[in-house]
Amino acid sequence: MTELRFSHPDPTHTGSEYIGVTVLEFVDGTATTDVAVPAGRVRQLEAAGYTVTSDPQGAPDGLDSLTVAELKAHADEHGIDLDGATKKADIVAAIETGQD
């Protein structure tokens, strides 16, 4: 099954948006769904400034593909101290350092 990842034009956007009957829950500008979205609707979203990518479900993603909220959750799950990092690049660097 393929998962669609939606990047909102506002990278800080957090909230719900309807794509037809599907509700996307955006956190820090990113939402995912494994529900089929018609290609025409995807083109409309892209024309409106969204980025839509597809990834095979379960495929390992690099840290850069995660949202800030996902990165913080990952660090918490692995006991990695973010040392006050709030920017995505700083969080990624702290996680990479903590995993060494």
Side-chain angles (χ1 to χ4, degrees), residues 35-100:
V35 175
V37 176
R41 185 65 179 130
V42 169
R43 285 191 297 277
Q44 288 174 334
L45 290 167
E46 290 172 331
Y50 290 78
T51 301
V52 183
T53 56
S54 61
D55 296 311
Q57 236 175 0
D61 288 330
L63 293 174
D64 288 332
S65 69
L66 300 178
T67 65
V68 169
E70 291 169 330
L71 288 166
K72 288 179 178 179
H74 175 85
D76 187 52
E77 290 170 12
H78 293 89
I80 299 170
D81 181 14
L82 297 179
D83 194 31
T86 57
K87 293 183 180 178
K88 185 173 180 174
D90 296 336
I91 294 170
V92 168
I95 291 172
E96 288 173 342
T97 300
Q99 288 179 342
D100 290 343

